[in-house]
Amino acid sequence: MRTSLCDTLGLEYPIFAFSHCRDVVAAVSKAGGMGVLGAVGFSADQLETELVWIDEHVGGKPYGVDIVMPATSAGVDGADPEALLAQIQAMIPDAHRQFVNELMDRFDIPPLPEGERAGGVLGWAEGVARAHVDIAFGHPISLIANALGSPPKDIIDRSHEAGVKVAALAGKAQHAVRHVNNGVDIVIAQGHEAGGHTGEVTTMVLVPEIVDAVPGTPVLAAGGIGSGRQIAAGMALGAQGVWMGSIWLATAESSSAPEHLERYLEATSSDTVRSKSYTGKPARMLRSAWTDAWADPNGPGPLGMPLQNILTAEANARIARSHRKDIAFVPVGQIVGSMNSVRPVRDVMFDLVNEYIETVQGLSAALEG
Ligand SMILES: Cc1cc2nc3c(=O)[nH]c(=O)nc-3n(C[C@H](O)[C@H](O)[C@H](O)COP(=O)(O)O)c2cc1C
C-alpha cells in the first residue's frame, strides 16, 4: 500500500482520516495513517485545546488540520464571533425565522433551558478560518486541508515556508486544476457519495478525471470509501491514497451522540440525502423530517452559507438536547449502509489494510490464472 505520499508525509499507509474528534485523529495517526482534525466547529481557543491534546497523545506521529474557507459565501467580515453573529443575524429574513419557529412547534421540540444560548458555526467565515490557521501553525502539523476551495495564496505560501503540505477538496476536475494552479500540493477528489459537503459527480467518475487533469500532483480518492476493497478501487483509479470521513463516526473513539450512533448502525445506503438545510450548501446527511421540511417547495427553502446555520442554530441546539433521532442532523455518506458495528480505530485500520492486500492479491492471481 506504500505510495510516494507515504514517504513525503512519513506515513505507513496512505489512509487519511477526516474527523472532528481528536481521539480519532490521534488513533489513526498512531495506527500508521494520518488523522486530520476538522476545525470548522471550534472557536480559536477550543482548537488550541484540541491540538495541545493531540500533541500529547499522538506519539510524535504526523497529523493535519482541516479548515473551511469557502470560495463563495455571503460577505461577512472580521473574526470577532459576537460581531460576526450580529452581521449575519441582520441579514436573515423574518419569514425564515418564522418558518423555523413553526417547525419547532410542528415537531414539538422543547425550548432551551433558561440562560442557555446556541452559537452556531462561524468557522466558515474567512476571519475565523484565518484564526484557525494561526492556531494550527503553533503546532507540529504536517498537513493543512481546505474544503470548499483553494486556501488563499498567503496561507499556501505560509504553509510551504513552514514545510506543511496543502490539500484541498475538489468535486470537479476544474476545481482540481484551479487548486494546482494556486499551489495546492495534494488534491482530494471527493465524489457525490461522500458525507458532508459534496458535489454531483460520483467517485468512480471523478477520481480518474482528476488524476488525468492534474498529472504529477498526488490525488486522494474520497467519498464512498469504507473498506479495503474500496481503497483498492480508489488506487486502481490512479489515487495515491484515500481520504475517509464517515467510517470514523462509528468507531469507539468517536464522540458521536448515542442517538446518532443508533442511526448510523440501522441506516441503509439509501437513507441519505444532499440537503442545504444545515449549512446552506449541499451536504450529505441522513434524511429526516427536518431535511424534508427544507426541501418542501411550499416552504421558504434554505438560505445560503453562512446564514442558514445561524438561522437554525437554536433549533439545532434544541433538537440535539431533545435527543430526537427522527429530526437530528446526522451528516454521513452513503457508506453508512455498511457501518454496522462500533469498533476501535486500530481494528478498523487493521481490517482496511488486510482487505486491501487480499483484494490486490486476488486481482493479481486472476491475472496470472
Ligand atoms: C460529519 C462530517 C463532517 C464533515 N465536515 C467536513 C469539514 O468540516 N471539512 C472538510 O474538508 N470535509 C468535511 N467532511 C467531508 C470529509 O472530509 C470527507 O471528504 C468525506 O467524509 C469523504 O467521504 P465519506 O464520508 O464517504 O468517507 C465531512 C464529512 C462528514 C461525514
Side-chain angles (χ1 to χ4, degrees):
M1 200 186 257
R2 262 194 111 72
T3 63
S4 63
L5 256 190
C6 295
D7 300 328
T8 311
L9 291 166
L11 308 175
E12 211 171 323
Y13 311 113
I15 297 177
F16 293 71
F18 171 90
S19 176
H20 293 114
C21 177
R22 63 191 188 185
D23 304 72
V24 170
V25 170
V28 171
S29 291
K30 277 164 65 178
M34 179 178 279
V36 181
L37 184 74
V40 72
F42 296 122
S43 68
D45 289 347
Q46 284 165 340
L47 180 62
E48 172 64 17
T49 307
E50 304 303 290
L51 296 184
V52 167
W53 187 93
I54 291 175
D55 292 340
E56 286 166 358
H57 292 83
V58 80
K61 298 288 189 182
Y63 73 92
V65 171
D66 175 281
I67 52 167
V68 183
M69 278 196 181
T72 53
S73 71
V76 287
D77 299 318
D80 173 51
E82 292 299 326
L84 276 169
L85 268 179
Q87 282 179 58
I88 296 169
Q89 295 286 9
M91 295 163 83
I92 293 176
D94 284 343
H96 280 81
R97 291 187 198 285
Q98 209 179 321
F99 181 66
V100 173
N101 291 338
E102 281 165 22
L103 289 181
M104 292 294 91
D105 290 345
R106 192 195 303 172
F107 299 139
D108 198 19
I109 307 290
L112 289 178
E114 194 76 29
E116 196 168 303
R117 271 184 71 201
V121 179
L122 291 169
W124 33 59
E126 181 169 339
V128 177
R130 281 187 174 278
H132 287 154
V133 172
D134 289 340
I135 298 289
F137 277 118
H139 296 266
I141 56 167
S142 301
L143 180 81
I144 196 145
N146 191 39
L148 306 179
S150 302
K153 186 174 181 324
D154 62 297
I155 291 182
I156 296 181
D157 291 346
R158 191 172 161 194
S159 305
H160 289 162
E161 279 158 27
V164 172
K165 295 289 177 200
V166 180
L169 277 80
K172 289 183 181 178
Q174 297 94 300
H175 299 163
V177 171
R178 208 179 309 143
H179 289 332
V180 172
N181 290 340
N182 290 340
V184 164
D185 306 297
I186 300 166
V187 173
I188 302 160
Q190 192 214 246
H192 183 68
E193 313 77 322
H197 291 120
T198 184
E200 301 275 6
V201 186
T202 58
T203 303
M204 185 70 131
V205 172
L206 184 71
V207 175
E209 262 186 17
I210 289 188
V211 167
D212 291 347
V214 294
T217 301
V219 172
L220 301 178
I225 297 179
S227 69
R229 279 173 291 168
Q230 286 158 329
I231 296 179
M235 306 293 248
L237 296 173
Q240 283 213 16
V242 292
W243 173 275
M244 303 162 71
S246 293
I247 196 170
W248 316 110
L249 295 166
T251 55
E253 288 84 348
S254 171
S255 55
S256 299
E259 66 271 20
H260 290 201
L261 199 53
E262 265 179 54
R263 292 210 62 200
Y264 299 137
L265 299 180
E266 68 196 16
T268 73
S269 52
S270 304
D271 292 334
T272 70
V273 283
R274 278 198 326 151
S275 165
K276 296 183 183 175
S277 60
Y278 188 72
T279 70
K281 288 188 189 283
R284 188 172 299 287
M285 59 193 73
L286 291 180
R287 186 177 168 191
S288 68
W290 177 261
T291 60
D292 285 351
W294 285 99
D296 183 348
N298 298 317
L303 295 171
M305 180 180 271
L307 275 58
Q308 179 70 11
N309 184 267
I310 300 304
L311 164 69
T312 57
E314 185 179 324
N316 283 320
R318 286 169 64 178
I319 293 168
R321 250 192 170 278
S322 73
H323 301 292
R324 280 271 299 275
K325 69 172 190 170
D326 56 327
I327 323 263
F329 163 61
V330 188
V332 69
Q334 291 180 343
I335 64 149
V336 70
S338 46
M339 290 161 52
N340 298 325
S341 63
V342 178
R343 288 177 307 149
V345 164
R346 209 164 37 112
D347 293 5
V348 172
M349 287 287 288
F350 184 81
D351 288 354
L352 289 175
V353 173
N354 271 347
E355 193 181 285
Y356 170 83
I357 293 169
E358 278 169 22
T359 306
V360 175
Q361 282 173 342
L363 290 170
S364 308
L367 203 58
E368 285 159 15

